[in-house]
Amino acid sequence: MTNQAILLTDGLLTTTDAKTAHGLIRGTERYSIAGVVDAPTAGQDAGAVLDGTTRNIPIYASVTEALVHLPAVSYAIVAVATNGGVLPENMMADIKLCLQQGLSVVNGLHEFLNDKPDLVALAQQSGAQLIDVRRPKSRQELHFWTGEINQVTAPIIAIMGTDCALGKRTTTRLIREACERQAINAQMIYTGQTGWLQGVRYGFIFDSTLNDFVSGELEHALVSCWRETGADVLLIEGQASLRNPSGPCGSEFLVSGNARHVVLVHAPKRNYYDHLPAWGAIPSVESEIALIGCYGATVIALALNTEGCSREEAFAFQREYTERLGIPVLLPLEEGVYPILPTIYALTSMAHAH
């Protein structure tokens, strides 16, 4: 694949603000990730820094150093997701340098590169492109909710979280891949910029969609995907969480997207929304399951984000939640998502029987 790209992380690679980079390091079909620019972790392998798995993606201290070692690169991806989608100040120099070297810059933030005349001029000079992934669609391109979702017979599973930046997209991707290996046609619906960057075909960018059309865009993605791929199961990548006050989100998946099944992602050691006491304490998993139940959906599995846990603690939490909840409890990064496959298999068999 010629779409070789470097990731710009502004020194944030080891933080949750770099979750876009984390997703792309784990896998993407749209680009081939050749290297990462992140001064604090330079000289290491990006996969090893991320989760201990070497992926042969070197980290460089600067854009200049990266381009010396990676002459075939044609894209630079702004691979951070900051609060409010603001472009970090010191990234501008890196972006300008990339444009001067003829690299097209792909940006997933709410702050658009195409709105900055100096960048537009640089891109024109070098023949590079400025690609703003989160630029809202025009009014003509948007869909309003119609009720067609009720014709979809494949089970719809939403992967939701008790907070933001927990691994919902990664869990969704892992479930899709596990289904694929078992010859189950699972299709993922992306709802954020990283899903698009990873090459997922169906979806929309939730937080840059005009509110009146969120439900319709979700429905359109699900219905189109089901009709065009003959999916056995549809997996919706969740956003934020039902009760995170900075951006409560998720009822749309259950109500407008008709997701009757949920995989809930939870971090046992995270006490407050976004780690901020002022934003409030994260309620118990049991209360989140009950809330989802009020929408007429069932939590079919819990996936644990084991941030701050030793390996022993991760497996101890898995045992504890399995006993408490009586559903499969997944450790996606430690041991994959296979325990959910029998449940998905049963749901698809039931759908085929009807």
Side-chain angles (χ1 to χ4, degrees):
M1 186 164 63
T2 52
N3 288 352
Q4 286 216 19
I6 53 170
L7 305 180
L8 308 178
T9 60
D10 193 42
L12 297 170
L13 183 61
T14 57
T15 72
T16 54
D17 276 355
K19 63 182 186 181
T20 297
H22 300 165
L24 293 170
I25 289 164
R26 288 201 170 100
T28 162
E29 287 78 48
R30 196 178 295 276
Y31 300 100
S32 171
I33 307 305
V36 178
V37 177
D38 187 76
T41 57
Q44 301 177 68
D45 177 87
V49 168
L50 178 59
D51 57 18
T53 307
T54 303
R55 291 182 173 83
N56 300 318
I57 301 174
I59 304 176
Y60 300 100
S62 67
V63 168
T64 309
E65 188 194 340
L67 295 182
V68 168
H69 290 95
L70 305 168
V73 165
S74 46
Y75 292 91
I77 300 173
V78 176
V80 293
T82 55
N83 275 343
V86 179
L87 192 70
E89 281 285 294
N90 21 350
M91 280 194 108
M92 283 303 285
D94 279 353
I95 290 169
K96 287 176 177 170
L97 190 56
C98 289
L99 291 171
Q100 283 160 351
Q101 298 298 317
L103 269 66
S104 292
V105 179
V106 185
N107 168 42
L109 296 172
H110 284 303
E111 196 173 325
F112 303 131
L113 304 182
N114 281 293
D115 293 347
K116 300 180 187 298
D118 51 339
L119 297 186
V120 171
L122 276 176
Q124 282 168 346
Q125 281 162 24
S126 69
Q129 285 179 293
L130 295 173
I131 301 160
D132 287 311
V133 179
R134 249 176 173 162
R135 186 173 280 288
K137 290 180 179 177
S138 71
R139 167 66 198 85
Q140 291 72 34
E141 295 173 275
L142 292 167
H143 299 84
F144 195 76
W145 195 84
T146 63
E148 276 183 290
I149 189 70
N150 296 318
Q151 296 166 18
V152 175
T153 56
I156 300 172
I157 303 173
I159 289 73
M160 296 170 65
T162 52
D163 193 18
C164 300
L166 277 181
K168 296 182 286 286
R169 187 198 61 257
T170 297
T171 303
T172 310
R173 202 176 153 88
L174 290 170
I175 292 172
R176 179 182 66 77
E177 289 168 354
C179 286
E180 219 167 75
R181 286 193 283 271
Q182 299 296 317
I184 298 169
N185 178 4
Q187 296 289 333
M188 172 174 167
I189 304 297
Y190 73 84
T191 54
Q193 72 279 7
T194 308
W196 181 89
L197 288 166
Q198 287 181 313
V200 182
R201 275 173 58 205
Y202 295 89
F204 71 110
I205 297 177
F206 195 112
D207 64 16
S208 57
T209 300
L210 196 62
N211 208 337
D212 211 15
F213 298 97
V214 163
S215 298
E217 285 292 291
L218 173 64
E219 177 188 55
H220 176 73
L222 285 161
V223 171
S224 309
C225 178
W226 176 64
R227 289 198 174 133
E228 291 165 23
T229 66
D232 294 323
V233 59
L234 294 160
L235 306 168
I236 308 173
E237 170 206 1
Q239 289 298 326
S241 76
L242 283 166
R243 293 188 274 182
N244 179 314
S246 74
C249 173
S251 57
E252 299 86 348
F253 308 132
L254 306 175
V255 179
S256 315
N258 206 24
R260 288 284 165 263
H261 316 282
V262 172
V263 174
L264 186 61
V265 187
H266 177 67
K269 285 205 166 179
R270 192 183 296 193
N271 297 315
Y272 303 102
Y273 287 116
D274 272 287
H275 302 284
L276 299 168
W279 288 20
I282 296 172
S284 70
V285 168
E286 282 87 347
S287 76
E288 200 78 6
I289 290 173
L291 176 58
I292 290 165
C294 291
Y295 284 102
T298 306
V299 175
I300 55 173
L302 184 73
L304 295 182
N305 171 322
T306 52
E307 62 184 19
C309 296
S310 68
R311 210 174 157 78
E312 289 68 34
E313 287 173 313
F315 286 97
F317 277 125
Q318 184 185 40
R319 287 191 297 275
E320 182 198 326
Y321 281 108
T322 303
E323 281 167 29
R324 268 167 59 179
L325 306 172
I327 55 176
V329 178
L330 315 173
L331 293 172
L333 296 185
E334 287 79 5
E335 55 172 26
V337 294
Y338 280 99
I340 198 178
L341 285 175
T343 310
I344 292 179
Y345 195 73
L347 289 174
T348 57
S349 306
M350 276 158 49
H352 287 310
H354 293 302

